[in-house]
Amino acid sequence: MPATNTTARYGSVAKTFHWLTALGILTVIPLGIIATDMPYDTADQLADKAWLFSLHKTIGVTLFFVALARIAWAMTQPKPAPLHPDRKIETLLAEIVHWLLYGSLVLVPLSGWVHHAATEGFAPIWWPLGQNLPLVPESLRVAETAAGLHLVFERVLVISLILHIAGAIKHAVIDRDQTLARMLPGRTVQTPDASARHTGLVPPVLAAVVWAAAIGIGSMLGVYHQGGAMAAQAPALAEVDSEWQVTDGTLGITVRQMGSEVSGSFADWTADIRFDETVTDGPAGSVDVEIAITSLTLGSVTQQAMGPDYFASGEFPTARFSAEIKASAEGYIADGTLTLRGTEHPVSLPFDLSLDGNLAQMQGSTVLDRRSFGIGDSMTDDGQLGFEVSVTVVLSALRSVAPST
Ligand code: HEM
Ligand code: HEM
Protein backbone atom coordinates (compact mmCIF):
# COMPACT_ATOMS: atom_id res chain seq x y z
CA MET A 1 0.00 0.00 0.00
CA PRO A 2 1.49 3.40 -0.91
CA ALA A 3 2.53 5.52 2.07
CA THR A 4 1.29 8.84 0.73
CA ASN A 5 -2.20 10.20 -0.02
CA THR A 6 -3.51 11.26 -3.37
CA THR A 7 -6.71 13.21 -3.97
CA ALA A 8 -8.37 9.82 -4.60
CA ARG A 9 -7.18 7.69 -1.66
CA TYR A 10 -5.56 7.62 1.80
CA GLY A 11 -1.98 6.30 2.09
CA SER A 12 -0.80 3.91 4.80
CA VAL A 13 0.75 6.65 6.97
CA ALA A 14 -2.49 8.66 7.18
CA LYS A 15 -4.45 5.45 7.93
CA THR A 16 -1.99 4.33 10.62
CA PHE A 17 -2.15 7.75 12.26
CA HIS A 18 -5.95 7.72 12.05
CA TRP A 19 -6.51 4.35 13.68
CA LEU A 20 -3.71 4.74 16.22
CA THR A 21 -5.28 8.03 17.32
CA ALA A 22 -8.78 6.53 17.32
CA LEU A 23 -7.59 3.70 19.60
CA GLY A 24 -5.82 6.15 21.92
CA ILE A 25 -8.73 8.60 22.12
CA LEU A 26 -11.30 5.87 22.70
CA THR A 27 -9.12 4.60 25.59
CA VAL A 28 -8.30 7.92 27.20
CA ILE A 29 -11.89 9.27 27.29
CA PRO A 30 -13.35 6.44 29.43
CA LEU A 31 -10.20 6.51 31.58
CA GLY A 32 -10.74 10.24 32.25
CA ILE A 33 -14.42 9.77 33.09
CA ILE A 34 -13.86 6.72 35.33
CA ALA A 35 -10.91 8.35 37.13
CA THR A 36 -12.89 11.55 37.72
CA ASP A 37 -15.96 9.71 39.04
CA MET A 38 -14.04 7.29 41.27
CA PRO A 39 -14.54 7.80 45.00
CA TYR A 40 -11.48 8.44 47.17
CA ASP A 41 -12.81 7.86 50.65
CA THR A 42 -10.14 5.36 51.59
CA ALA A 43 -6.41 5.33 50.95
CA ASP A 44 -6.78 2.32 48.62
CA GLN A 45 -9.40 4.10 46.53
CA LEU A 46 -7.18 7.18 46.39
CA ALA A 47 -4.21 5.11 45.20
CA ASP A 48 -6.38 3.46 42.46
CA LYS A 49 -7.73 6.83 41.40
CA ALA A 50 -4.23 8.31 41.18
CA TRP A 51 -3.05 5.29 39.14
CA LEU A 52 -5.91 5.68 36.63
CA PHE A 53 -5.20 9.41 36.34
CA SER A 54 -1.51 8.71 35.74
CA LEU A 55 -2.45 6.28 32.97
CA HIS A 56 -4.89 8.83 31.53
CA LYS A 57 -2.27 11.59 31.54
CA THR A 58 0.55 9.40 30.21
CA ILE A 59 -1.48 8.16 27.23
CA GLY A 60 -2.87 11.70 26.77
CA VAL A 61 0.60 13.27 26.56
CA THR A 62 1.65 10.55 24.10
CA LEU A 63 -1.40 11.30 21.95
CA PHE A 64 -0.47 14.98 21.97
CA PHE A 65 2.87 14.22 20.29
CA VAL A 66 1.25 11.70 17.91
CA ALA A 67 -1.21 14.48 16.98
CA LEU A 68 1.59 16.94 16.23
CA ALA A 69 3.28 14.36 14.00
CA ARG A 70 -0.06 13.56 12.34
CA ILE A 71 -0.84 17.21 11.64
CA ALA A 72 2.68 17.80 10.29
CA TRP A 73 2.20 14.82 7.97
CA ALA A 74 -1.31 15.88 6.89
CA MET A 75 0.04 19.32 5.93
CA THR A 76 2.36 17.71 3.39
CA GLN A 77 -0.39 15.54 1.92
CA PRO A 78 -3.32 16.03 -0.44
CA LYS A 79 -6.69 15.18 1.14
CA PRO A 80 -8.85 12.67 -0.72
CA ALA A 81 -11.74 14.51 -2.30
CA PRO A 82 -15.25 14.20 -0.83
CA LEU A 83 -17.23 11.40 -2.42
CA HIS A 84 -20.40 13.46 -2.81
CA PRO A 85 -19.24 17.05 -3.42
CA ASP A 86 -22.76 17.84 -4.68
CA ARG A 87 -24.10 17.34 -1.12
CA LYS A 88 -22.80 20.73 0.00
CA ILE A 89 -24.12 20.83 3.59
CA GLU A 90 -23.03 17.26 4.34
CA THR A 91 -19.54 17.88 2.92
CA LEU A 92 -19.21 21.13 4.85
CA LEU A 93 -20.33 19.44 8.09
CA ALA A 94 -17.87 16.58 7.57
CA GLU A 95 -15.02 19.03 7.05
CA ILE A 96 -15.94 21.17 10.08
CA VAL A 97 -15.91 17.99 12.15
CA HIS A 98 -12.49 16.99 10.74
CA TRP A 99 -11.14 20.40 11.78
CA LEU A 100 -12.73 20.06 15.21
CA LEU A 101 -11.14 16.63 15.61
CA TYR A 102 -7.70 17.79 14.51
CA GLY A 103 -7.92 20.83 16.80
CA SER A 104 -9.19 18.71 19.72
CA LEU A 105 -6.20 16.41 19.39
CA VAL A 106 -4.03 19.39 20.39
CA LEU A 107 -6.34 21.43 22.64
CA VAL A 108 -7.65 18.61 24.85
CA PRO A 109 -4.30 17.13 25.93
CA LEU A 110 -2.65 20.56 26.10
CA SER A 111 -5.27 21.96 28.48
CA GLY A 112 -5.03 18.77 30.60
CA TRP A 113 -1.27 19.10 30.66
CA VAL A 114 -1.38 22.77 31.69
CA HIS A 115 -3.82 21.82 34.46
CA HIS A 116 -1.39 19.14 35.62
CA ALA A 117 1.64 21.46 35.50
CA ALA A 118 -0.18 24.23 37.40
CA THR A 119 -1.14 21.91 40.28
CA GLU A 120 1.07 20.24 42.81
CA GLY A 121 1.21 16.55 43.41
CA PHE A 122 -1.41 13.88 42.96
CA ALA A 123 -1.05 11.62 39.92
CA PRO A 124 2.25 12.04 38.05
CA ILE A 125 2.75 11.61 34.29
CA TRP A 126 4.85 8.46 33.93
CA TRP A 127 7.05 9.88 31.16
CA PRO A 128 10.28 11.35 32.54
CA LEU A 129 9.17 14.78 31.36
CA GLY A 130 6.46 17.32 31.70
CA GLN A 131 5.57 17.40 35.41
CA ASN A 132 6.10 21.13 34.92
CA LEU A 133 5.74 23.17 31.75
CA PRO A 134 7.64 26.30 30.77
CA LEU A 135 5.57 29.47 31.22
CA VAL A 136 3.00 27.62 33.37
CA PRO A 137 3.16 28.79 37.00
CA GLU A 138 1.93 26.61 39.87
CA SER A 139 -1.23 28.56 40.54
CA LEU A 140 -4.76 27.68 41.57
CA ARG A 141 -6.23 30.21 39.12
CA VAL A 142 -4.29 28.79 36.14
CA ALA A 143 -5.12 25.24 37.25
CA GLU A 144 -8.86 25.96 37.52
CA THR A 145 -9.00 27.71 34.16
CA ALA A 146 -7.07 24.91 32.45
CA ALA A 147 -9.27 22.26 34.13
CA GLY A 148 -12.38 24.08 32.86
CA LEU A 149 -10.95 24.33 29.36
CA HIS A 150 -10.01 20.63 29.44
CA LEU A 151 -13.64 19.82 30.23
CA VAL A 152 -15.02 22.15 27.54
CA PHE A 153 -12.61 20.97 24.82
CA GLU A 154 -13.19 17.36 25.80
CA ARG A 155 -16.98 17.83 25.40
CA VAL A 156 -16.45 19.39 21.95
CA LEU A 157 -14.27 16.40 21.06
CA VAL A 158 -16.87 13.89 22.24
CA ILE A 159 -19.72 15.58 20.33
CA SER A 160 -17.57 15.88 17.18
CA LEU A 161 -16.60 12.24 17.51
CA ILE A 162 -20.21 11.13 17.81
CA LEU A 163 -21.04 13.07 14.62
CA HIS A 164 -17.92 11.71 12.90
CA ILE A 165 -18.63 8.06 13.74
CA ALA A 166 -22.34 8.49 12.92
CA GLY A 167 -21.28 9.90 9.52
CA ALA A 168 -18.96 6.96 8.85
CA ILE A 169 -21.73 4.49 9.75
CA LYS A 170 -24.24 6.36 7.56
CA HIS A 171 -21.88 6.15 4.58
CA ALA A 172 -21.33 2.44 5.12
CA VAL A 173 -24.92 1.41 5.94
CA ILE A 174 -27.21 3.88 4.18
CA ASP A 175 -25.15 5.30 1.28
CA ARG A 176 -23.21 2.04 0.88
CA ASP A 177 -20.29 3.98 -0.56
CA GLN A 178 -16.53 3.70 -0.14
CA THR A 179 -16.03 6.40 2.53
CA LEU A 180 -15.28 3.97 5.36
CA ALA A 181 -13.61 1.41 3.12
CA ARG A 182 -11.01 3.90 1.88
CA MET A 183 -9.97 4.63 5.47
CA LEU A 184 -9.74 0.96 6.51
CA PRO A 185 -6.24 -0.51 6.76
CA GLY A 186 -4.79 -3.19 4.50
CA ARG A 187 -6.28 -2.31 1.15
CA THR A 188 -6.06 0.50 -1.32
CA VAL A 189 -9.49 1.78 -2.26
CA GLN A 190 -9.36 4.20 -5.11
CA THR A 191 -12.30 6.63 -5.24
CA PRO A 192 -13.23 9.01 -8.05
CA ASP A 193 -10.88 11.96 -8.05
CA ALA A 194 -13.16 14.96 -7.96
CA SER A 195 -10.05 17.17 -8.24
CA ALA A 196 -10.11 17.98 -4.53
CA ARG A 197 -13.07 20.30 -4.25
CA HIS A 198 -12.83 21.24 -0.61
CA THR A 199 -14.59 24.17 0.92
CA GLY A 200 -11.54 26.37 1.62
CA LEU A 201 -11.43 28.53 4.73
CA VAL A 202 -15.09 28.18 5.72
CA PRO A 203 -14.73 24.90 7.72
CA PRO A 204 -11.79 26.03 9.91
CA VAL A 205 -13.48 29.38 10.60
CA LEU A 206 -16.73 27.64 11.60
CA ALA A 207 -14.75 25.19 13.77
CA ALA A 208 -13.20 28.21 15.56
CA VAL A 209 -16.73 29.62 16.07
CA VAL A 210 -17.77 26.30 17.67
CA TRP A 211 -14.82 26.45 20.12
CA ALA A 212 -15.49 30.10 20.95
CA ALA A 213 -19.16 29.28 21.65
CA ALA A 214 -18.16 26.29 23.79
CA ILE A 215 -15.71 28.40 25.83
CA GLY A 216 -18.52 30.96 26.31
CA ILE A 217 -20.97 28.30 27.49
CA GLY A 218 -18.28 26.99 29.85
CA SER A 219 -17.93 30.47 31.30
CA MET A 220 -21.70 30.80 31.78
CA LEU A 221 -21.71 27.46 33.61
CA GLY A 222 -18.81 28.64 35.80
CA VAL A 223 -16.50 25.74 34.93
CA TYR A 224 -13.37 27.89 35.23
CA HIS A 225 -13.79 28.41 38.99
CA GLN A 226 -14.38 25.07 40.65
CA GLY A 227 -12.40 25.23 43.89
CA GLY A 228 -11.97 27.81 46.57
CA ALA A 229 -15.06 26.43 48.28
CA MET A 230 -13.15 24.56 50.98
CA ALA A 231 -11.56 27.65 52.50
CA ALA A 232 -14.97 29.31 52.63
CA GLN A 233 -16.32 26.41 54.70
CA ALA A 234 -13.62 26.76 57.34
CA PRO A 235 -15.01 27.53 60.79
CA ALA A 236 -14.03 31.07 61.72
CA LEU A 237 -11.80 30.93 64.79
CA ALA A 238 -12.49 33.30 67.63
CA GLU A 239 -10.02 36.14 67.95
CA VAL A 240 -7.53 35.73 70.77
CA ASP A 241 -6.47 38.30 73.28
CA SER A 242 -2.72 37.95 72.91
CA GLU A 243 0.17 39.90 74.34
CA TRP A 244 1.73 39.70 70.88
CA GLN A 245 -0.74 40.10 67.99
CA VAL A 246 0.16 38.24 64.79
CA THR A 247 -0.06 40.76 61.95
CA ASP A 248 1.10 38.55 59.15
CA GLY A 249 2.10 34.94 58.90
CA THR A 250 2.15 31.64 57.09
CA LEU A 251 1.65 28.21 58.56
CA GLY A 252 2.74 25.80 55.87
CA ILE A 253 3.15 22.06 55.47
CA THR A 254 4.94 19.98 52.86
CA VAL A 255 4.21 16.32 52.20
CA ARG A 256 5.78 13.93 49.69
CA GLN A 257 3.29 12.17 47.48
CA MET A 258 4.42 9.59 44.96
CA GLY A 259 7.87 11.10 44.83
CA SER A 260 6.89 14.74 44.41
CA GLU A 261 6.60 17.41 47.05
CA VAL A 262 3.21 18.98 47.69
CA SER A 263 3.15 22.17 49.75
CA GLY A 264 0.22 23.98 51.22
CA SER A 265 -0.83 26.24 54.03
CA PHE A 266 -3.59 26.94 56.53
CA ALA A 267 -5.41 30.21 55.86
CA ASP A 268 -7.08 30.43 59.27
CA TRP A 269 -5.20 30.10 62.56
CA THR A 270 -4.77 32.17 65.67
CA ALA A 271 -1.87 32.47 68.09
CA ASP A 272 -1.88 33.55 71.69
CA ILE A 273 1.73 34.49 72.40
CA ARG A 274 3.28 35.57 75.69
CA PHE A 275 6.94 36.32 75.51
CA ASP A 276 9.57 38.07 77.58
CA GLU A 277 12.56 38.96 75.45
CA THR A 278 14.67 39.81 78.48
CA VAL A 279 14.94 36.10 79.38
CA THR A 280 18.04 34.62 77.78
CA ASP A 281 18.03 31.23 79.47
CA GLY A 282 15.00 29.18 80.53
CA PRO A 283 11.22 29.67 80.20
CA ALA A 284 10.57 32.85 78.24
CA GLY A 285 6.85 32.59 77.61
CA SER A 286 4.16 30.46 76.03
CA VAL A 287 2.37 30.02 72.75
CA ASP A 288 -1.07 28.60 72.06
CA VAL A 289 -1.95 28.13 68.39
CA GLU A 290 -5.37 27.08 67.14
CA ILE A 291 -5.69 25.94 63.54
CA ALA A 292 -8.85 25.56 61.42
CA ILE A 293 -8.11 22.31 59.58
CA THR A 294 -10.52 22.96 56.69
CA SER A 295 -8.71 26.20 55.87
CA LEU A 296 -5.89 24.08 54.44
CA THR A 297 -5.07 24.34 50.74
CA LEU A 298 -2.79 21.50 49.67
CA GLY A 299 -2.19 21.51 45.92
CA SER A 300 -4.73 19.38 44.08
CA VAL A 301 -5.23 17.04 47.06
CA THR A 302 -6.92 19.52 49.39
CA GLN A 303 -10.22 17.67 49.38
CA GLN A 304 -8.64 14.25 49.76
CA ALA A 305 -6.60 15.52 52.73
CA MET A 306 -9.85 16.31 54.58
CA GLY A 307 -11.12 12.72 54.23
CA PRO A 308 -11.67 10.35 57.17
CA ASP A 309 -8.35 8.53 56.58
CA TYR A 310 -6.39 11.76 56.72
CA PHE A 311 -7.21 14.93 58.68
CA ALA A 312 -10.83 13.76 59.23
CA SER A 313 -11.82 17.43 59.36
CA GLY A 314 -15.53 16.61 59.83
CA GLU A 315 -14.81 15.01 63.21
CA PHE A 316 -11.75 17.10 64.15
CA PRO A 317 -12.19 20.58 62.66
CA THR A 318 -9.38 22.20 64.67
CA ALA A 319 -5.87 21.40 65.84
CA ARG A 320 -4.00 22.99 68.75
CA PHE A 321 -0.34 23.50 69.58
CA SER A 322 0.32 24.53 73.19
CA ALA A 323 3.93 25.06 74.07
CA GLU A 324 6.35 26.70 76.40
CA ILE A 325 8.91 29.02 74.82
CA LYS A 326 12.41 28.31 76.08
CA ALA A 327 15.44 30.49 75.55
CA SER A 328 19.00 29.21 75.55
CA ALA A 329 22.39 30.11 74.14
CA GLU A 330 21.49 28.09 70.98
CA GLY A 331 18.32 30.08 70.37
CA TYR A 332 14.62 29.62 71.02
CA ILE A 333 12.47 26.53 71.02
CA ALA A 334 8.71 26.07 71.48
CA ASP A 335 8.35 22.79 73.37
CA GLY A 336 4.85 21.44 73.80
CA THR A 337 1.99 19.28 72.60
CA LEU A 338 0.25 19.18 69.25
CA THR A 339 -3.32 17.92 69.34
CA LEU A 340 -4.26 16.86 65.84
CA ARG A 341 -7.02 14.52 64.74
CA GLY A 342 -7.86 13.98 68.39
CA THR A 343 -4.37 12.68 69.18
CA GLU A 344 -1.82 14.41 71.40
CA HIS A 345 1.87 14.17 70.64
CA PRO A 346 4.92 16.10 71.89
CA VAL A 347 6.34 18.52 69.32
CA SER A 348 9.39 20.80 69.48
CA LEU A 349 9.67 23.75 67.14
CA PRO A 350 13.06 25.53 67.12
CA PHE A 351 12.78 29.08 65.77
CA ASP A 352 14.76 32.21 64.95
CA LEU A 353 13.57 35.52 66.28
CA SER A 354 14.42 39.08 65.48
CA LEU A 355 13.06 41.95 67.52
CA ASP A 356 12.73 45.54 66.46
CA GLY A 357 11.05 47.55 69.19
CA ASN A 358 7.51 46.16 69.45
CA LEU A 359 7.75 44.17 66.24
CA ALA A 360 8.87 40.54 66.36
CA GLN A 361 9.61 38.36 63.37
CA MET A 362 9.93 34.65 63.84
CA GLN A 363 10.66 31.78 61.56
CA GLY A 364 10.77 28.12 62.52
CA SER A 365 10.34 24.65 61.16
CA THR A 366 10.03 21.10 62.34
CA VAL A 367 9.31 17.66 60.96
CA LEU A 368 6.41 15.50 62.15
CA ASP A 369 5.62 11.86 61.51
CA ARG A 370 2.04 11.68 60.21
CA ARG A 371 1.66 8.21 61.78
CA SER A 372 1.95 9.74 65.28
CA PHE A 373 -1.49 11.26 64.62
CA GLY A 374 -3.01 8.32 62.73
CA ILE A 375 -3.02 10.28 59.45
CA GLY A 376 -3.09 8.09 56.33
CA ASP A 377 -2.58 4.93 58.40
CA SER A 378 -3.64 2.71 55.53
CA MET A 379 -0.91 4.29 53.35
CA THR A 380 1.86 2.11 54.74
CA ASP A 381 4.24 2.83 51.85
CA ASP A 382 6.53 5.77 52.51
CA GLY A 383 7.12 6.09 48.74
CA GLN A 384 3.41 6.60 48.09
CA LEU A 385 2.76 9.07 50.89
CA GLY A 386 5.84 10.11 52.86
CA PHE A 387 5.72 9.54 56.62
CA GLU A 388 7.51 12.81 57.27
CA VAL A 389 5.62 16.07 57.03
CA SER A 390 7.55 19.33 57.31
CA VAL A 391 5.93 22.23 59.04
CA THR A 392 7.11 25.80 58.62
CA VAL A 393 5.94 28.87 60.50
CA VAL A 394 6.83 32.40 59.50
CA LEU A 395 5.16 35.26 61.33
CA SER A 396 5.36 38.88 62.32
CA ALA A 397 3.80 39.94 65.63
CA LEU A 398 3.25 43.29 67.24
CA ARG A 399 3.39 43.74 70.99
CA SER A 400 0.10 45.04 72.34
CA VAL A 401 1.00 48.14 74.26
CA ALA A 402 -1.08 48.43 77.43
CA PRO A 403 -3.23 51.56 77.39
CA SER A 404 -1.91 54.21 79.77
CA THR A 405 -4.12 54.76 82.78
C1 HEM B 1 -14.45 4.32 15.54
C2 HEM B 1 -14.05 5.50 15.30
C3 HEM B 1 -13.81 6.15 13.95
C4 HEM B 1 -14.30 5.87 12.71
C5 HEM B 1 -15.27 4.76 12.31
C6 HEM B 1 -13.76 6.83 11.79
C7 HEM B 1 -13.97 6.88 10.44
C8 HEM B 1 -13.37 7.75 9.54
C9 HEM B 1 -13.53 7.73 8.12
C10 HEM B 1 -14.38 6.75 7.38
C11 HEM B 1 -12.81 8.76 7.60
C12 HEM B 1 -12.67 9.13 6.15
C13 HEM B 1 -13.57 10.27 5.81
C14 HEM B 1 -13.43 10.70 4.38
O1 HEM B 1 -12.63 10.15 3.66
O2 HEM B 1 -14.13 11.64 4.00
C15 HEM B 1 -12.19 9.43 8.70
C16 HEM B 1 -11.39 10.53 8.57
C17 HEM B 1 -10.92 11.27 9.64
N1 HEM B 1 -11.02 10.91 10.97
FE1 HEM B 1 -11.98 9.31 11.71
N2 HEM B 1 -12.97 7.70 12.50
C18 HEM B 1 -12.98 7.32 13.82
C19 HEM B 1 -12.31 7.91 14.87
C20 HEM B 1 -11.62 9.10 14.74
C21 HEM B 1 -10.99 9.78 15.84
C22 HEM B 1 -10.99 9.31 17.32
C23 HEM B 1 -10.43 10.92 15.34
C24 HEM B 1 -9.68 12.00 16.05
C25 HEM B 1 -9.93 12.46 17.20
C26 HEM B 1 -10.68 10.93 13.92
C27 HEM B 1 -10.27 11.94 13.09
C28 HEM B 1 -10.42 11.91 11.71
C29 HEM B 1 -9.92 12.95 10.82
C30 HEM B 1 -9.20 14.22 11.26
C31 HEM B 1 -10.22 12.52 9.51
C32 HEM B 1 -9.89 13.28 8.24
C33 HEM B 1 -8.88 12.52 7.47
C34 HEM B 1 -7.48 12.72 7.92
O3 HEM B 1 -6.92 13.76 7.61
O4 HEM B 1 -6.94 11.82 8.60
N3 HEM B 1 -11.41 9.81 13.60
N4 HEM B 1 -12.55 8.81 9.88
C1 HEM C 1 -6.41 13.46 24.03
C2 HEM C 1 -6.19 13.44 25.27
C3 HEM C 1 -7.19 13.56 26.39
C4 HEM C 1 -8.55 13.33 26.42
C5 HEM C 1 -9.45 12.91 25.28
C6 HEM C 1 -8.99 13.58 27.77
C7 HEM C 1 -10.28 13.44 28.21
C8 HEM C 1 -10.69 13.60 29.53
C9 HEM C 1 -12.01 13.32 30.02
C10 HEM C 1 -13.16 12.76 29.20
C11 HEM C 1 -12.02 13.64 31.34
C12 HEM C 1 -13.21 13.51 32.30
C13 HEM C 1 -13.88 14.82 32.45
C14 HEM C 1 -15.24 14.70 33.11
O1 HEM C 1 -16.13 14.13 32.49
O2 HEM C 1 -15.37 15.18 34.22
C15 HEM C 1 -10.72 14.11 31.69
C16 HEM C 1 -10.35 14.56 32.95
C17 HEM C 1 -9.05 14.92 33.27
N1 HEM C 1 -7.95 14.88 32.46
FE1 HEM C 1 -7.91 14.43 30.51
N2 HEM C 1 -7.90 13.96 28.52
C18 HEM C 1 -6.78 13.93 27.72
C19 HEM C 1 -5.50 14.23 28.07
C20 HEM C 1 -5.09 14.63 29.32
C21 HEM C 1 -3.74 14.98 29.70
C22 HEM C 1 -2.55 14.95 28.74
C23 HEM C 1 -3.76 15.33 31.01
C24 HEM C 1 -2.65 15.78 31.92
C25 HEM C 1 -1.38 15.64 31.67
C26 HEM C 1 -5.14 15.19 31.47
C27 HEM C 1 -5.57 15.46 32.75
C28 HEM C 1 -6.87 15.34 33.17
C29 HEM C 1 -7.28 15.67 34.52
C30 HEM C 1 -6.39 16.19 35.65
C31 HEM C 1 -8.65 15.43 34.57
C32 HEM C 1 -9.58 15.67 35.78
C33 HEM C 1 -10.13 17.05 35.62
C34 HEM C 1 -10.85 17.56 36.85
O3 HEM C 1 -11.04 16.82 37.80
O4 HEM C 1 -11.19 18.75 36.83
N3 HEM C 1 -5.92 14.77 30.42
N4 HEM C 1 -9.92 14.09 30.57
Side-chain angles (χ1 to χ4, degrees):
M1 195 185 2
T4 50
N5 292 1
T6 69
T7 50
R9 59 156 169 75
Y10 287 104
S12 59
V13 177
K15 288 184 183 180
T16 308
F17 270 133
H18 179 270
W19 292 110
L20 192 68
T21 314
L23 182 70
I25 292 287
L26 295 177
T27 309
V28 99
I29 291 178
L31 274 177
I33 295 171
I34 295 168
T36 302
D37 290 347
M38 244 174 111
Y40 45 85
D41 298 332
T42 67
D44 280 349
Q45 286 172 341
L46 182 60
D48 288 348
K49 190 178 173 86
W51 191 86
L52 278 187
F53 262 125
S54 281
L55 186 63
H56 173 83
K57 293 175 182 181
T58 307
I59 302 178
V61 167
T62 313
L63 282 173
F64 174 70
F65 289 109
V66 172
L68 294 187
R70 178 175 176 186
I71 290 168
W73 174 256
M75 282 164 69
T76 68
Q77 298 294 303
K79 196 167 187 250
L83 282 180
H84 311 281
D86 46 312
R87 301 183 194 164
K88 292 223 158 44
I89 302 282
E90 193 179 308
T91 307
L92 177 67
L93 190 64
E95 293 202 357
I96 295 171
V97 168
H98 286 175
W99 277 95
L100 287 171
L101 290 173
Y102 268 128
S104 301
L105 287 176
V106 173
L107 293 173
V108 177
L110 195 60
S111 52
W113 203 353
V114 170
H115 176 203
H116 172 86
T119 18
E120 285 190 345
F122 203 38
I125 299 169
W126 288 327
W127 291 119
L129 66 119
Q131 305 305 338
N132 301 304
L133 284 177
L135 306 179
V136 177
E138 272 181 9
S139 124
L140 185 65
R141 178 41 52 93
V142 174
E144 282 189 350
T145 308
L149 286 174
H150 190 56
L151 193 75
V152 166
F153 291 147
E154 165 260 303
R155 293 291 146 94
V156 172
L157 166 64
V158 169
I159 294 168
S160 311
L161 206 51
I162 291 171
L163 291 171
H164 182 68
I165 296 174
I169 294 173
K170 173 196 170 274
H171 280 287
V173 176
I174 299 176
D175 298 342
R176 292 176 184 275
D177 64 19
Q178 300 283 66
T179 306
L180 181 57
R182 74 174 177 178
M183 188 42 107
L184 291 180
R187 49 192 167 144
T188 306
V189 176
Q190 201 80 21
T191 46
D193 182 352
S195 63
R197 264 196 284 143
H198 292 287
T199 8
L201 271 181
V202 178
V205 169
L206 289 179
V209 170
V210 170
W211 278 308
I215 291 171
I217 293 170
S219 174
M220 274 166 12
L221 296 175
V223 298
Y224 310 114
H225 310 281
Q226 299 154 345
M230 291 304 287
Q233 290 163 13
L237 297 177
E239 276 191 25
V240 289
D241 178 19
S242 174
E243 193 181 295
W244 288 82
Q245 284 291 342
V246 176
T247 52
D248 185 24
T250 309
L251 176 56
I253 60 170
T254 301
V255 300
R256 267 194 94 70
Q257 197 191 26
M258 288 177 222
S260 51
E261 283 196 347
V262 189
S263 298
S265 59
F266 293 91
D268 194 12
W269 50 279
T270 58
D272 181 0
I273 305 169
R274 277 157 226 287
F275 175 65
D276 180 355
E277 73 268 28
T278 57
V279 178
T280 52
D281 196 18
S286 66
V287 58
D288 199 1
V289 181
E290 197 178 6
I291 305 149
I293 293 294
T294 48
S295 73
L296 173 69
T297 312
L298 188 60
S300 58
V301 289
T302 305
Q303 258 168 302
Q304 286 92 323
M306 295 302 134
D309 277 17
Y310 301 94
F311 280 105
S313 62
E315 206 179 332
F316 307 104
T318 55
R320 179 175 289 274
F321 178 51
S322 298
E324 188 177 41
I325 298 176
K326 290 177 186 160
S328 75
E330 284 87 57
Y332 293 101
I333 190 160
D335 235 345
T337 307
L338 175 63
T339 311
L340 175 60
R341 207 182 184 272
T343 308
E344 289 187 3
H345 199 77
V347 166
S348 293
L349 177 89
F351 63 91
D352 295 328
L353 185 77
S354 64
L355 269 171
D356 181 9
N358 287 329
L359 179 69
Q361 282 179 310
M362 78 79 89
Q363 185 168 335
S365 63
T366 189
V367 175
L368 309 175
D369 188 324
R370 64 175 168 85
R371 293 169 300 180
S372 312
F373 301 93
I375 292 182
D377 266 354
S378 47
M379 293 290 241
T380 47
D381 182 356
D382 181 49
Q384 224 172 13
L385 181 63
F387 298 141
E388 289 191 343
V389 177
S390 6
V391 180
T392 43
V393 190
V394 181
L395 65 81
S396 306
L398 209 53
R399 193 197 318 253
S400 322
V401 183
S404 50
T405 46

